[in-house]
Amino acid sequence: MIFEIKTRTQPITKESVWSAWKQVKQGSSGSGGVDGVSVSKIERNPRKYLYPLWNRLSSGSYMPLAVKEVSIPKPNGGIRHLGVPTVCDRVAQEVIRRDLEKIVEPHFHPSSFGYRPHKSAFEAIDQCERHCNERWYVVDIDIKGYFDNIDHTAMMQILETYTQEQHILLYCQRWLQAPVQRGNQQEARTTGTPQGGVISPLLSNLFLHVVFDQWMQENHSNMVFERYCDDIIIHTRSIEQSRFILDKVKRRFGQYKLTLNTEKTKIVYCYRSSRPQLGEEEIATTPSSFDFLGYTFKPRESVSRTKEKFCSFGAAISQKSVSRILQTIRDLRIPQQTTKRLQELAYYLRSKLLGWIHYYGRHRLQSMSRIFWTLNHRLIRYLQNRYKYSSYRRAKHRLQWIKRHFPNLFVHWQYGFT
């Protein structure tokens, strides 16, 4: 252990700081915040950075530095602002996050799935698909700029109802109020918790637990829902019930200074052939599909255990996710990687392909065929460029020969996408 044994006023031990550092080091990209101190720099001399961090945390004198703002383009053309704390700040947040999670986790609703231990997006998707086939309507809730509009006063009041631990309240308030650095300028932050912070997902979960989950359980327990952080799906039995709960949710969120994105929030009709259809006017105006966690839910043909076909309301990879993956494949510039052997390309692509298949292929894997057709096409172009084949057809025949003799070379070939 790299720390000296000293008594401090706050119940933060040297072991908790060291354990948090190992967690941050394992899950961090390595980049630093406004101080420019990276993970590798701390790793070379941990005592120089972690001992002062523990010393200040345990004495209550730790003050976080500004959060560096990084802009990331969204697939729809917008911009998402992420906040990047310093590495030491991430370690400090991990220490407090662990203490706070032990307190609040038992209170969370079973239909809240985001950023929770032993919960996953797969469970949310499975439950959503099941509820879509049991109830006729869905209210797809989209909160406008949720992370940027969390009210600090309300957040601290919620925290105080669940814990009176002074070190948790002290540091959570300081992180909420930490300034944002845009370029060379720092700006004070009066609302929101930055996306990218270690403790932000837990604070945002706790906020919506009180604002939405708990409120739904107490006042509208006849309805079911799934929530993954700020992505909310409510299932209802009629169009009137959908309009009713949408109006109630708008009012409830307004009490906490949150607003709904009117362009993305919608009522969806979970149509199946065995259900009575809407009137002509409602059919024309009511959507019959929605996106949730990278999947599109809509009427789909399914096959029963007795091989009979029927219509269900199911999930498959969304068009947005397909477009994002295709853009990633284009950015890899596979046809131009002629200095690499095919085996090296297969190894390089393995982790990406496994990640896509294991997540998006869980429901209706065949819906990903366009992605793998595009990948095969680019592999043909790669062979054409590397071996100077005069025609596309010749390179295609070469790839087909490789598939027959080495069917497990690329991950997607193992799933039948040849």
Side-chain angles (χ1 to χ4, degrees):
M1 183 56 62
I2 63 173
F3 301 104
E4 298 176 3
I5 299 176
K6 289 187 178 182
T7 303
R8 297 298 180 214
T9 59
Q10 302 298 326
I12 297 174
T13 65
K14 54 188 178 296
E15 290 82 7
S16 64
V17 174
W18 181 250
S19 178
W21 154 245
K22 291 193 291 184
Q23 179 67 34
V24 169
K25 180 177 65 173
Q26 182 180 3
S28 176
S29 62
S31 60
V34 295
D35 60 354
V37 178
S38 63
V39 170
S40 58
K41 192 172 183 179
I42 296 178
E43 197 169 14
R44 288 194 295 269
N45 190 359
R47 182 183 179 85
K48 176 181 177 181
Y49 298 96
L50 299 184
Y51 177 77
L53 176 63
W54 168 68
N55 192 14
R56 292 172 187 142
L57 279 173
S58 59
S59 63
S61 62
Y62 176 75
M63 297 295 294
L65 296 177
V67 177
K68 183 170 68 175
E69 187 175 83
V70 178
S71 299
I72 297 177
K74 291 183 179 180
N76 60 4
I79 294 177
R80 175 181 285 110
H81 298 293
L82 295 183
V84 181
T86 64
V87 178
C88 285
D89 203 23
R90 284 176 240 171
V91 175
Q93 290 187 27
E94 177 63 19
V95 172
I96 302 301
R97 186 200 66 79
R98 293 182 179 187
D99 290 346
L100 180 59
E101 186 177 69
K102 293 175 185 177
I103 297 170
V104 300
E105 174 61 29
H107 299 280
F108 283 160
H109 195 280
S111 289
S112 170
F113 298 94
Y115 307 110
R116 294 183 59 191
H118 313 300
K119 291 278 190 177
S120 70
F122 295 137
E123 294 178 74
I125 293 165
D126 292 342
Q127 179 174 300
C128 186
E129 190 174 53
R130 184 172 67 253
H131 285 156
C132 285
N133 285 288
E134 293 173 352
R135 305 194 176 214
W136 290 16
Y137 292 86
V138 152
V139 183
D140 183 5
I141 301 292
D142 187 274
I143 306 173
K144 190 173 183 179
Y146 172 61
F147 281 89
D148 296 329
N149 292 293
I150 294 176
D151 183 71
H152 289 177
T153 302
M155 182 76 256
M156 291 308 301
Q157 289 175 350
I158 290 172
L159 265 175
E160 288 170 1
T161 61
Y162 285 91
T163 180
Q164 292 299 315
E165 296 287 345
Q166 290 303 308
H167 67 293
I168 295 178
L169 298 175
L170 173 69
Y171 290 125
C172 284
Q173 186 168 32
R174 288 180 182 177
W175 283 315
L176 288 173
Q177 296 174 349
V180 177
Q181 180 161 322
R182 298 184 177 95
N184 295 324
Q185 295 183 342
Q186 289 190 8
E187 296 181 13
R189 187 172 61 233
T190 57
T191 60
T193 177
Q195 284 182 274
V198 173
I199 203 168
S200 294
L202 182 58
L203 293 178
S204 62
N205 249 350
L206 180 60
F207 194 80
L208 275 184
H209 167 72
V210 173
V211 174
F212 180 77
D213 301 353
Q214 199 175 68
W215 172 77
M216 283 287 291
Q217 189 172 17
E218 293 174 356
N219 298 280
H220 306 285
S221 57
N222 59 324
M223 302 180 198
V224 293
F225 66 90
E226 294 83 38
R227 183 175 68 80
Y228 195 94
C229 199
D230 60 332
D231 292 329
I232 303 172
I233 302 295
I234 307 173
H235 302 266
T236 62
R237 297 189 182 278
S238 67
I239 189 72
E240 292 79 15
Q241 194 178 50
S242 300
R243 291 167 180 162
F244 168 80
I245 193 61
L246 180 55
D247 182 63
K248 292 291 185 180
V249 168
K250 284 180 182 178
R251 295 183 183 182
R252 175 65 176 176
F253 283 2
Q255 294 172 2
Y256 287 85
K257 301 179 182 179
L258 296 175
T259 57
L260 301 187
N261 189 326
T262 55
E263 295 180 359
K264 295 182 179 180
T265 299
K266 59 184 178 181
I267 296 172
V268 178
Y269 180 48
C270 303
Y271 170 74
R272 291 192 305 165
S273 59
S274 60
R275 296 177 175 175
Q277 296 188 16
L278 294 169
E280 292 183 4
E281 182 179 349
E282 288 182 322
I283 288 176
T285 58
T286 305
S288 59
S289 68
F290 65 94
D291 288 356
F292 182 53
L293 299 180
Y295 278 79
T296 293
F297 292 76
K298 69 177 185 179
R300 301 180 189 276
E301 187 180 84
S302 300
V303 181
S304 67
R305 294 179 180 177
T306 58
K307 306 301 182 182
E308 294 181 1
K309 294 182 179 180
F310 66 97
C311 184
S312 67
F313 202 88
I317 184 172
S318 68
Q319 184 56 48
K320 290 180 181 178
S321 299
V322 170
S323 299
R324 186 169 61 250
I325 293 174
L326 289 177
Q327 183 59 51
T328 300
I329 292 175
R330 285 191 289 269
D331 292 342
L332 293 174
R333 298 176 59 83
I334 293 172
Q336 286 74 43
Q337 304 293 329
T338 54
T339 58
K340 293 187 174 123
R341 295 184 301 162
L342 195 62
Q343 294 90 332
E344 292 175 322
L345 273 180
Y347 180 79
Y348 175 69
L349 293 171
R350 179 176 177 80
S351 60
K352 293 182 183 295
L353 293 173
L354 281 173
W356 295 335
I357 290 173
H358 287 171
Y359 185 80
Y360 296 108
R362 184 182 177 92
H363 293 263
R364 295 171 175 82
L365 176 61
Q366 198 60 34
S367 300
M368 301 182 70
S369 57
R370 182 187 169 195
I371 293 171
F372 300 122
W373 180 90
T374 301
L375 180 56
N376 285 336
H377 166 73
R378 291 189 165 260
L379 289 174
I380 294 172
R381 290 295 188 190
Y382 157 82
L383 291 175
Q384 189 177 9
N385 292 340
R386 178 174 171 83
Y387 297 105
K388 310 301 181 184
Y389 288 129
S390 58
S391 68
Y392 180 87
R393 178 178 293 182
R394 189 178 175 190
K396 183 177 180 181
H397 288 164
R398 177 64 177 172
L399 187 66
Q400 289 172 346
W401 182 91
I402 294 171
K403 290 174 187 174
R404 287 194 302 270
H405 291 82
F406 305 96
N408 296 326
L409 181 59
F410 285 90
V411 173
H412 64 293
W413 291 358
Q414 301 172 26
Y415 290 85
F417 295 99
T418 57

